[in-house]
Amino acid sequence: MADMKQIVLKAYCDGLPTPENFALETKPLPEPKEGQFRVAHVWCSVDPGTRSRLSGGDSYAMALPLGKPIDGFSVGVVDASENDAYPVGTKVFCAGGWKTHSIQNGKGFIGKVPDMPVPLSAWIGVLGVPGLTAWFGLKDVARFKEGDRVLVSS
């Protein structure tokens, strides 16, 4: 049986994260059940929003639990499927975590990557949650219009 790898949170971060805060685990590669499909992750995001969750205290989101895989957004390709809507070869973005593979069912945060001339990694960056957060923050919250200016500091 093939294996998958995942990054787990070994210890909460005090200051900048270090390799000692994380562990690399090898697990058996999961097989999809009826209605599910497996995504082979090509890219996993390290979003700014994840940082506060590595410290052990709740902020706008709950702290990540110790010993569990770090969650986050991923983009990849379906490599095994028991779901007709997501056949093998389908490119997707999903909440797959810091793993080489994840099992999905087509519900929640998941979508098919359209055939566009942009890098696959864009779907977890500028076209993913961080980019959409910035876009809606400027357009819907700040209501920026032509001629307005913004300073981006990070």
Side-chain angles (χ1 to χ4, degrees):
M1 176 179 238
D3 291 330
M4 64 172 266
K5 295 187 185 312
Q6 60 186 20
I7 304 289
V8 300
L9 184 60
K10 190 167 98 177
Y12 289 119
C13 302
D14 181 22
L16 290 175
T18 65
E20 291 74 29
N21 297 115
F22 308 98
L24 177 63
E25 294 183 347
T26 300
K27 299 280 187 184
L29 188 63
E31 293 296 329
K33 296 180 173 70
E34 184 178 338
Q36 298 179 329
F37 53 97
R38 185 177 63 215
V39 178
H41 299 171
V42 176
W43 295 96
C44 296
S45 70
V46 183
D47 290 336
T50 303
R51 175 58 191 97
S52 65
R53 301 182 68 211
L54 297 174
S55 297
D58 293 343
S59 63
Y60 71 94
M62 291 179 16
L64 294 168
L66 292 177
K68 298 292 183 185
I70 296 175
D71 62 11
F73 303 108
S74 306
V75 64
V77 180
V78 174
D79 71 349
S81 182
E82 296 295 329
N83 183 320
D84 292 340
Y86 291 88
V88 170
T90 304
K91 294 177 185 173
V92 298
F93 55 85
C94 61
W98 292 11
K99 308 174 192 176
T100 58
H101 297 79
S102 65
I103 296 293
Q104 305 288 330
N105 62 12
K107 298 176 184 168
F109 183 81
I110 186 148
K112 296 178 182 178
V113 172
D115 187 19
M116 295 175 60
V118 297
L120 194 56
S121 60
W123 293 95
I124 56 169
V126 69
L127 297 174
V129 172
L132 292 175
T133 300
W135 174 259
F136 287 110
L138 290 173
K139 298 300 270 182
D140 290 354
V141 177
R143 294 190 161 106
F144 268 56
K145 57 194 175 311
E146 188 175 338
D148 288 343
R149 295 177 187 200
V150 64
L151 169 66
V152 178
S153 63
S154 64

